[in-house]
Amino acid sequence: MSATRRVFAAPSTKVAAFVLLVVLLLTITGGLFAPHDPLAQDVPNQFKGPTSGHLLGTDYLGRDTLSRLIAGTRVTILGSFATVALGFLLGVLPGIISAFLGRTSEFFVMRFIDSLLTLPIIVLAVAATGLFSNGTGAVVIAVGVLLAPRFFRIARAETLGFASEQYVEAAQLFGASRFWVIRRHIWSKVLPTLAVTSATSLGSAVLALSSLDFLGIGVKAPAPSWGGMLASDVQYLYQDWSAAIWPGLAIAITVWACNAVADGLRDGLGAHAGGHGATGEQAPAHDLDSLLTSELAGAQGA
Amino acid sequence: MEAGRISIGTRTTPSYERGGPFGFMRGIAPAVSGRVLRLVLSTLTVALFSTLLIFALAYFSPSNPAATKLGENATPQAIAHLNHVMGLDRGFFAQYFSWIGNAIHGDLGVSWFSGVPVGTSIKTGLPVDLSVTGVALVMALLMGIPAGIVAGTRRGGFLDRGINAISSTAITLPVFWIGMVLVIVFAVKAKWLPATGYVPPSAGLWPWLSHLLLPAFALAVNVAAVVARLLRNSLVAALDENFVVGATVRGLSPRRILYRHVLRNALAPTVTIIGLEIPQLLGAAVVTEALFALPGLGQLALTAAQEHDLPVIQGVLLVMVAIVLVCNLAIDGLLGWLRPATRRKHS
């Protein structure tokens, strides 16, 4: 079986990949497929339940919920991709290099990463937008920086496993440089695991960015975003609670799809979930890195 | 180790376990105090880095408090004078050390806008956060640990698959959405519980708890799912260990083996992940506070962020980091108790 076949072997992965494909399509096309103008108000028709004209009903200003949901996809998903890309860029290479550091510098680098992990993502993002500028850019940078420790720790844990392999040792004996070893032996083997991490991180990023939109940080009203739609619908729960259900479902389904694709990638690409290569020492079960590499840590971002 | 050369085959343990820069203490200090000392030094280093980060965030922000405070008609001289009075014209480290020194003595400064001491605002908000996250943590453990044990001891069974399906769904749900559904069901429809507000415990146990049940449950769902899944997986792994076979051969009852031997080992990863979840829980509490109109630290930070109120933002972040570090120390102690091997390894 080819690698692609193995990745999509489970039916849940196929469904999840289809969901992500639809989400991506909506991200690219923006509001093109929206049946109505997402910003068009029709106040007399507020709080209407699902009808043939408005498949998911209307909100407190009579705006079409489905159209706002479709139009809000782009900003949430693009932001999440940018966040994950930033976390990847900031985390992976330092993580790989950190495996080859001396003891003292390693101690301080690890404590620096620990200190990033002590900061709650949401609170730091709130603070960063307050101190710098309140916009999607500041939110993406703040969340991306705090996702970086996850990439760092996983890249490092994987590298530590592969660096103790005999072929690496052999290359060393033949005089290979540190850079050559990373490029030739480490990089391609760390990538599958990092693909899994990226997929789960994408889910975390969607959750984090939606939470921040919900708090009114990031996307500015009236532009639609999934979290922002929830925030405005919450004010009118006593009049009509149905409109508030849909954006939450959109977020949950997208996050589920990210996690399911991550599971497929892990099974199909032979990425590790905890332990290391054949000769690598089995990581102790309470080790933070192996926990982060395992499937559980991925989903929790917000 | 020599710099500039890759040492191979020895790099699978992190530096603090190999000794790190404080490895020399291994020979000096007795076993237990060596472990404690190393833990204290690690914690202090993390505290130093995170406070530096918090301070740098504010120091390098483009906000100009003196100009904001004096209004549009302020002369450059007046702004410079006020900056001098507020001590903002000093260097990075001078400002950092006076900030952290005051903070250690309980003085977190004064809000630039309301004039209220930051410590006072935090004292009002902190009990709300501690109540919500505390109740949430208890709920998460009460749901997650039994679910994990049930699933782990019935591997592949109906209950195992059911719990797995529920927990993998629960992990994807945004906290604020769970909270909203709870409000719709229990406050809007059934009218059993209040949807918003906070009542201090001095007003009575039930009034206090009734205001916390919905927000705490919303927070607990994700953590419970993580705990259940992790505990299930470590139980499954631990039940395959040789010592379980040994205990069975010695004639111990399955119940005794599970609760006295297996669970103790399997709980360690769960305890570690709970430590990792605490910052996330505090972050998610901010969202829950907004939804349930709870006057906690998150609301304080949110208002302060909108007003660019530096001392308040710094104070809230500092208190949160302190909470996380204290929890990490407690978790480390708990891990040492759960796994005597981690204690012995350092001796």
Side-chain angles (χ1 to χ4, degrees):
Chain A
M1 251 196 316
S2 72
T4 330
R5 279 257 180 101
R6 280 202 306 272
V7 170
F8 295 105
S12 62
T13 319
K14 290 194 189 89
V15 177
F18 178 73
V19 169
L20 281 191
L21 211 65
V22 171
V23 169
L24 269 182
L25 201 70
L26 292 178
T27 307
I28 295 163
T29 54
L32 201 66
F33 291 120
H36 297 270
D37 178 355
L39 298 180
Q41 302 183 5
D42 182 13
V43 181
N45 275 322
Q46 63 176 356
F47 304 132
K48 281 274 148 52
T51 57
S52 57
H54 301 283
L55 285 177
L56 298 181
T58 56
D59 71 355
Y60 66 106
L61 290 173
R63 297 177 295 195
D64 183 46
T65 303
L66 180 63
S67 305
R68 288 181 66 73
L69 214 52
I70 291 174
T73 310
R74 176 179 275 176
V75 65
T76 309
I77 300 300
L78 275 188
S80 305
F81 269 113
T83 306
V84 174
L86 188 65
F88 191 100
L89 282 177
L90 292 178
V92 171
L93 205 57
I96 294 177
I97 293 169
S98 82
F100 301 107
L101 286 177
R103 278 186 192 179
T104 306
S105 38
E106 187 183 292
F107 177 87
F108 288 109
V109 167
M110 293 313 289
R111 296 296 83 79
F112 178 72
I113 296 296
D114 286 347
S115 68
L116 283 178
L117 285 171
T118 59
L119 294 167
I121 292 187
I122 304 285
V123 185
L124 193 86
V126 167
T129 51
L131 294 171
F132 292 90
S133 66
N134 187 357
T136 321
V139 168
V140 165
I141 292 173
V143 179
V145 166
L146 290 190
L147 275 183
R150 183 185 290 185
F151 284 99
F152 177 94
R153 294 204 78 123
I154 288 165
R156 176 185 150 80
E158 287 291 297
T159 309
L160 284 175
F162 292 119
S164 58
E165 297 281 350
Q166 282 188 341
Y167 52 79
V168 175
E169 199 169 350
Q172 294 287 307
L173 293 173
F174 281 108
S177 71
R178 191 179 302 188
F179 177 72
W180 192 88
V181 166
I182 290 175
R183 207 179 46 135
R184 180 76 179 78
H185 288 305
I186 307 287
W187 180 245
S188 60
K189 298 201 180 60
V190 174
L191 269 184
T193 308
L194 290 175
V196 177
T197 313
S198 305
T200 49
S201 298
L202 190 64
S204 307
V206 170
L207 275 178
L209 292 191
S210 306
S211 302
L212 289 164
D213 285 335
F214 178 80
L215 290 174
I217 286 165
V219 182
K220 285 270 147 286
S225 67
W226 292 350
M229 285 174 71
L230 268 173
S232 57
D233 293 339
V234 156
Q235 317 286 328
Y236 301 94
L237 280 186
Y238 284 92
Q239 283 93 328
D240 170 49
W241 52 267
S242 64
I245 296 296
W246 304 111
L249 270 183
I251 297 167
I253 291 172
T254 311
V255 176
W256 169 81
C258 292
N259 289 345
V261 165
D263 284 345
L265 284 172
R266 182 185 305 114
D267 297 341
L269 298 178
H272 300 101
H276 297 301
T279 58
E281 193 183 316
Q282 185 68 39
H286 63 277
D287 180 63
L288 188 65
D289 298 319
S290 65
L291 282 177
L292 282 171
T293 330
S294 75
E295 59 174 323
L296 292 148
Q300 287 299 304
Chain B
M1 187 179 55
E2 288 169 66
R5 187 183 292 179
I6 306 175
S7 147
I8 299 147
T10 56
R11 316 307 317 271
T12 41
T13 43
S15 81
Y16 53 88
E17 286 184 5
R18 281 182 279 121
F22 309 111
F24 62 89
M25 278 176 321
R26 199 180 285 182
I28 302 168
V32 174
S33 66
R35 178 181 133 81
V36 170
L37 209 59
R38 192 157 29 240
L39 192 65
V40 168
L41 280 168
S42 281
T43 309
L44 284 180
T45 319
V46 173
L48 176 75
F49 281 145
S50 31
T51 49
L52 273 173
L53 269 171
I54 294 171
F55 187 77
L57 206 63
Y59 184 84
F60 293 109
S61 85
S63 54
N64 189 344
T68 321
K69 214 170 180 176
L70 291 173
E72 284 175 18
N73 298 326
T75 58
Q77 288 84 0
I79 292 175
H81 178 69
L82 189 60
N83 268 333
H84 182 71
V85 172
M86 292 164 94
L88 295 173
D89 54 351
R90 293 173 299 162
F92 178 82
F93 284 102
Q95 285 192 49
Y96 168 76
F97 282 114
S98 68
W99 172 67
I100 201 78
N102 290 336
I104 288 169
H105 292 101
D107 175 16
L108 289 167
V110 174
S111 160
W112 284 343
F113 292 88
S114 62
V116 178
V118 179
T120 313
S121 312
I122 286 178
K123 256 180 225 147
T124 352
L126 191 59
V128 183
D129 283 75
L130 293 182
S131 303
V132 178
T133 45
V135 174
L137 205 56
V138 171
M139 281 177 157
L141 296 178
L142 285 180
M143 293 188 284
I145 291 182
I149 293 175
V150 167
T153 49
R154 290 166 181 75
R155 189 191 327 186
F158 172 73
L159 277 173
D160 184 18
R161 277 178 288 147
I163 288 171
N164 182 40
I166 294 172
S167 56
S168 32
T169 312
I171 265 173
T172 64
L173 299 175
V175 169
F176 47 92
W177 191 70
I178 302 172
M180 213 182 55
V181 173
L182 291 175
V183 170
I184 293 171
V185 174
F186 290 101
V188 176
K189 294 272 165 192
K191 297 189 170 41
W192 286 343
L193 291 166
T196 53
Y198 173 77
V199 174
S202 54
L205 186 65
W206 175 246
W208 172 72
L209 199 61
S210 67
H211 283 85
L212 291 178
L213 282 179
L214 294 184
F217 187 80
L219 275 177
V221 168
N222 280 329
V223 184
V226 171
V227 167
R229 292 179 59 149
L230 191 63
L231 184 59
R232 182 242 173 229
N233 287 352
S234 18
L235 263 184
V236 165
L239 282 169
D240 281 343
E241 297 268 359
N242 283 334
F243 72 83
V244 176
V245 182
T248 317
V249 169
R250 278 190 288 138
L252 297 183
S253 72
R255 178 178 289 267
R256 190 183 160 89
I257 296 176
L258 177 66
Y259 288 103
R260 297 292 291 273
H261 299 274
V262 178
L263 201 57
R264 197 179 167 126
N265 275 287
L267 269 177
T270 314
V271 170
T272 310
I273 205 87
I274 290 168
L276 281 178
E277 286 292 322
I278 284 170
Q280 319 302 349
L281 208 55
L282 284 172
V286 176
V287 182
T288 333
E289 281 170 25
L291 178 62
F292 290 92
L294 299 171
L297 290 186
Q299 292 296 85
L300 189 63
L302 208 56
T303 337
Q306 278 150 8
E307 292 173 334
H308 302 279
D309 199 343
L310 272 183
V312 180
I313 297 175
Q314 285 178 320
V316 171
L317 279 172
L318 192 66
V319 169
M320 291 207 165
V321 165
I323 295 174
V324 172
L325 288 178
V326 169
C327 289
N328 283 352
L329 282 177
I331 296 249
D332 207 89
L334 199 59
L335 278 175
W337 175 76
L338 279 172
R339 300 194 143 204
T342 51
R343 263 177 286 158
R344 255 177 257 130
K345 194 160 64 188
H346 295 295
S347 55

